[in-house]
Amino acid sequence: MSALPAGWTLSASAFNLTPEVVRAERTAPDLALTLVERGLASAIEVELGQLWRGYPAATLAEAHDLRDRLHAVGGGVSIVGVSIDEWDGHRRRTDDQRLAFLEPQLRTSAALGAQGVRLPIGQAGAVLESALPLLEELDLVLYEEAQGHQTPAASPEAYARIAEIDSPHLRLLLDISMLMPALPVTYLEALSRGGVDPALVTLLRDHWREPGTHGAVVDHLRSGRVPGPVHTLYMNLLVRFGRSDVSDVASVLPLIGGVHLKFWDLDDADHRLSDPLRDVGAALAATGYTGTLCSEWGGQEWLDDDPWEMTSRHLALAAGILSDRHPSAPLQEASTPMTDRPPIKWSYMDHWRAQGPAGPYDQWQSKLAMKRFLQQVAAVGFDAIDTFDFRIWQIFEQYGSVANYQEFVQEQGLERIVNTFHGVYYSPDRYAPEVPATHATILEDFQRTLDMWSGIQLDNIIVMPGSRYFDEAGVPDDGLKHAADIWGKVGELTQQYGVNLTCHHEFYAGIRTRDQIDRFYSYADPRYVKFFVDTAQHCIADVDPVDVYEKHHERVTGFHFKDTRHKDVNDDYRMFPDAEVSAKTTEKWFYEMGTDEGLVDFEAMMRSVRDNGYTGWISVEHDKADKLGGDYAESTAISRWYAKNVLDGIYNEEVAR
């Protein structure tokens, strides 16, 4: 054949351009339009939440405008990615409320001129039936997308429901990530660079589809041997990467109305990229399939390749294979040598205050204040932010969902939200890790918290592992064991969401001395209880942050880099309720990196980070930076200068032998 089968349309996903969206040099609608203007595809898929800030509310005028601009250059929208936010504030939405959340997205999609909308398979539940009249009114198809491990054998009820409803307005969308004969070469390289056991990497490379490999992946995760910085990347093995054959989906081929030609990189070693294209093409042709086949790039999580070039070359490859021609563009070689380390990325912990005409205010005062804060953080070179999880109610009120807030963050030029700090008032009668009677409350709290934050992928949820003990002894040994026990249970829960439970030790808390820290971790399960190093807090408590990191580096999943000029030599940790604000001997505890008379040896710290193979995120924190005439913006700029001009250079030196 010299052309695609009749009724087949190659399309491209605007999601491929996420790195360009994050760069924020052009708007997301303009970038989507450029896919058509450059001739990459005439049909495109878009993500509604990525296009407009008003999401999920209807944005009909903007939708009509983009539709008309696309039509003017010979293009159009095929499928729109939509979502259902399960939570409304602190309450789970009813099915009627879920449909109400979805309806404006459907109307916006229709205004875009789309053929249909896309949801993950099984998410809609009872909304499938109740949405049908609206789908018919708007002449839209709802595609339920199955990918990775979501095979017919794994989710038979979800597939059966599509068949039982038997409506032309409800179809299956197959993502060929389900049909991976082998893992992406560059992904395996990323795992190796991140410190994953070489024996496991070899098993993944050579025996991906064998049943025993899945067990090895799970065992490795449960044993706590997955390095913290690549934990999220590792979870792709259990979620995004499938190991099925096209024969495993034969029974549902007649239900398919759309296909995602998912690709991760363009390395076709052992035909791992071309074979799934060829197999699914043959299977679809045999069933008389008509519809779109969309190029969707998933490797931007670990690759920095140009998204335009990646999309163009993949479309050329797919067109060649699906039309039984040879690909017209050469495939790339593995892009990154195994010996190269990825750079450290810098996140900013969102302490902030500025002076306005009416007095001081923080970034949560309004969306405008937040926009200015985020743009300042991005302008000086930070890559992302961290936040506190008690901000969840302001997020719901101002942005509607955590996913919407993260999209707002990305619009200002930052990649994402990396970590959240779990701020809660500890009390021995209701919430205290060292008191077993409160453990059920702690577990319930975390289940609720994780559900509320599940709209985005966090790396860590940070906790204080012990209550505030206002005596010299601190938490007794039995209390350390009880705390280790509950945090192990919480960590097992957080890992079900792909998130690390990691412990941060304040100088005024009950687990603060070096002896207490060492004993706590000797009792805590390394699989589930991780360590988050705060350089200043440890120094104030007379704990060497470099030495304690080297002792426990295999647990470490992140850092707060900030400095101090003072140790607590007056037992200020005993001041109620919070020594950071109550101590009369020290008005200002914390300073930015590079401060004169700072006690933290950041150069030694960074050499240790480098030599112990840590990769990933380091967070900069400025707690109460505006005391004694200080300024958050100034401290943030100085610390980023220090990170870029001093610490990055140390990290990029050859690893000490």
Side-chain angles (χ1 to χ4, degrees):
M1 294 184 297
S2 60
L4 294 173
W8 291 22
T9 302
L10 273 179
S11 62
S13 174
F15 177 80
N16 297 7
L17 307 178
T18 298
E20 296 290 307
V21 175
V22 171
R23 213 174 340 262
E25 295 173 355
R26 301 174 62 200
T27 67
D30 284 349
L31 290 167
L33 179 69
T34 305
L35 282 170
V36 179
E37 291 177 328
R38 290 192 179 186
L40 272 70
S42 59
I44 62 171
E45 288 196 18
V46 296
E47 305 296 319
L48 205 55
Q50 198 174 62
L51 285 177
W52 297 296
R53 191 173 302 168
Y55 171 87
T59 50
L60 301 183
E62 293 169 306
H64 286 142
D65 178 67
L66 180 55
R67 178 200 61 191
D68 293 344
R69 294 172 68 196
L70 285 166
H71 286 176
V73 294
V77 174
S78 55
I79 298 174
V80 178
V82 296
S83 69
I84 298 176
D85 195 327
E86 301 295 338
W87 289 87
D88 180 10
H90 60 284
R91 295 180 180 177
R92 188 179 291 276
R93 284 187 166 93
T94 65
D95 284 333
D96 287 344
Q97 291 170 331
R98 295 167 78 235
L99 179 59
F101 186 87
L102 184 61
E103 179 175 350
Q105 301 176 66
L106 298 181
R107 296 195 179 279
T108 303
S109 300
L112 272 169
Q115 300 167 12
V117 298
R118 185 186 73 250
L119 281 171
I121 191 167
Q123 183 185 28
V127 171
L128 285 180
E129 288 92 342
S130 55
L132 279 177
L134 183 57
L135 292 167
E136 293 168 358
E137 172 194 334
L138 299 173
D139 195 21
L140 289 173
V141 178
L142 174 57
Y143 296 91
E144 287 209 291
E145 179 182 10
Q147 59 182 310
H149 292 255
Q150 296 172 314
T151 64
S155 307
E157 298 86 357
Y159 287 87
R161 194 163 195 172
I162 299 173
E164 290 166 3
I165 293 175
D166 191 22
S167 168
H169 293 278
L170 176 63
R171 306 298 289 165
L172 174 67
L173 189 148
L174 176 68
D175 188 309
I176 67 170
S177 61
M178 191 184 295
L179 310 176
M180 296 171 61
L183 293 173
V185 172
T186 55
Y187 175 79
L188 294 169
E189 292 172 353
L191 291 184
S192 293
R193 291 194 304 270
V196 173
D197 185 346
L200 179 62
V201 174
T202 299
L203 181 68
L204 293 171
R205 183 192 66 206
D206 297 338
H207 305 287
W208 168 239
R209 279 191 170 177
E210 294 185 11
T213 301
H214 177 73
V217 169
V218 174
D219 289 346
H220 207 77
L221 179 65
R222 289 176 175 170
S223 70
R225 287 179 288 165
V226 179
V230 294
H231 191 280
T232 300
L233 197 65
Y234 186 89
M235 295 303 292
N236 289 328
L237 297 168
L238 299 172
V239 180
R240 300 180 77 193
F241 298 159
R243 51 168 53 86
S244 299
D245 184 81
V246 71
S247 61
D248 296 321
V249 297
S251 63
V252 299
L253 288 173
L255 302 177
I256 295 176
V259 178
H260 274 178
L261 304 179
K262 178 69 65 58
F263 72 106
W264 311 96
D265 58 23
L266 291 174
D267 193 316
D268 198 27
D270 303 319
H271 308 291
R272 66 191 66 196
L273 180 60
S274 54
D275 277 353
L277 290 170
R278 191 171 290 109
D279 292 345
V280 78
L284 292 172
T287 62
Y289 170 80
T290 60
T292 57
L293 301 99
C294 183
S295 170
E296 185 181 52
W297 181 35
Q300 53 198 254
E301 183 180 356
W302 65 87
L303 292 176
D304 293 323
D305 298 74
D306 180 77
W308 302 102
E309 182 181 2
M310 294 293 283
T311 304
S312 176
R313 293 168 70 182
H314 181 253
L315 283 166
L317 169 69
I321 290 174
L322 295 173
S323 60
D324 202 24
R325 291 183 287 108
H326 293 293
S328 58
L331 298 178
Q332 71 178 29
E333 298 298 325
S335 61
T336 309
M338 293 280 282
T339 55
D340 287 353
R341 268 194 326 276
I344 285 290
K345 290 188 174 183
W346 296 91
S347 183
Y348 183 78
M349 182 66 191
D350 70 349
H351 295 279
W352 194 263
R353 193 172 291 108
Q355 192 68 28
Y361 68 93
D362 71 11
Q363 72 274 29
W364 295 95
Q365 182 191 58
S366 66
K367 280 191 172 182
L368 177 60
M370 179 63 72
K371 181 178 181 179
R372 289 172 173 170
F373 157 67
L374 294 170
Q375 289 179 346
Q376 289 178 79
V377 170
V380 297
F382 283 96
D383 303 296
I385 61 164
D386 297 359
T387 191
F388 293 92
D389 65 6
F390 57 73
R391 296 292 191 182
I392 192 71
W393 307 116
Q394 288 164 294
I395 289 172
F396 285 154
E397 180 180 358
Q398 294 181 1
Y399 303 92
S401 70
V402 292
N404 291 346
Y405 176 54
Q406 177 159 273
E407 288 165 8
F408 185 83
V409 169
Q410 292 169 335
E411 288 170 359
Q412 315 316 318
L414 296 165
E415 289 186 23
R416 63 189 183 94
I417 302 164
V418 180
N419 308 309
T420 185
F421 197 109
H422 190 62
V424 63
Y425 183 76
Y426 285 5
S427 171
D429 61 338
R430 58 170 297 276
Y431 203 110
E434 62 280 353
V435 180
T438 70
H439 286 185
T441 299
I442 294 174
L443 277 172
E444 290 172 5
D445 171 46
F446 271 88
Q447 182 65 71
R448 184 169 57 252
T449 297
L450 289 162
D451 283 344
M452 288 191 291
W453 284 89
S454 62
I456 63 174
Q457 183 59 63
L458 296 167
D459 283 14
N460 299 291
I461 185 165
I462 307 166
V463 300
M464 290 171 48
S467 300
R468 299 172 183 178
Y469 267 60
F470 304 105
D471 56 39
E472 186 175 353
V475 178
D477 200 63
D478 284 348
L480 292 176
K481 293 177 181 178
H482 294 319
D485 177 63
I486 184 57
W487 293 129
K489 293 175 181 177
V490 172
E492 188 172 7
L493 174 64
T494 66
Q495 287 196 9
Q496 295 175 21
Y497 291 77
V499 181
N500 290 311
L501 185 286
T502 189
C503 297
H504 177 287
H505 301 265
E506 273 76 7
F507 80 90
Y508 55 82
I511 306 176
R512 61 183 189 84
T513 69
R514 178 58 188 273
D515 174 66
Q516 292 162 352
I517 291 170
D518 288 348
R519 281 189 289 131
F520 170 73
Y521 286 118
S522 74
Y523 301 141
D525 190 331
R527 297 175 297 173
Y528 305 125
V529 183
K530 307 301 182 181
F531 181 21
F532 201 93
V533 176
D534 186 305
T535 53
Q537 295 280 5
H538 289 307
C539 270
I540 295 170
D542 199 23
V543 174
D544 183 339
V546 179
D547 188 61
V548 75
Y549 165 64
E550 292 185 342
K551 167 71 173 178
H552 301 288
H553 70 89
E554 292 181 350
R555 289 184 186 257
V556 170
T557 59
F559 301 83
H560 278 165
F561 271 22
K562 61 178 182 279
D563 211 340
T564 184
R565 297 176 180 174
H566 308 283
K567 291 185 179 181
D568 178 11
V569 296
N570 301 300
D571 291 343
D572 284 329
Y573 70 89
R574 303 175 68 177
M575 298 294 296
F576 183 85
D578 182 344
E580 290 183 5
V581 295
S582 304
K584 297 179 180 179
T585 62
T586 305
E587 188 171 350
K588 181 174 181 176
W589 287 104
F590 304 118
Y591 295 81
E592 67 275 358
M593 295 186 295
T595 186
D596 293 337
E597 303 175 19
L599 299 182
V600 178
D601 187 343
F602 282 105
E603 294 186 25
M605 187 81 240
M606 202 63 174
R607 283 191 291 271
S608 182
V609 167
R610 175 199 67 197
D611 292 353
N612 282 291
Y614 180 86
T615 61
W617 294 92
I618 293 177
S619 302
V620 169
E621 184 180 34
H622 296 132
D623 198 346
K624 307 169 185 69
D626 54 348
K627 286 198 167 191
L628 298 181
D631 179 83
Y632 277 97
E634 179 182 57
S635 291
T636 302
I638 291 171
S639 66
R640 186 65 189 99
W641 181 94
Y642 188 84
K644 177 180 178 180
N645 292 282
V646 179
L647 301 185
D648 282 347
I650 292 171
Y651 186 82
N652 291 327
E653 293 171 356
E654 184 178 356
V655 177
R657 300 296 180 187

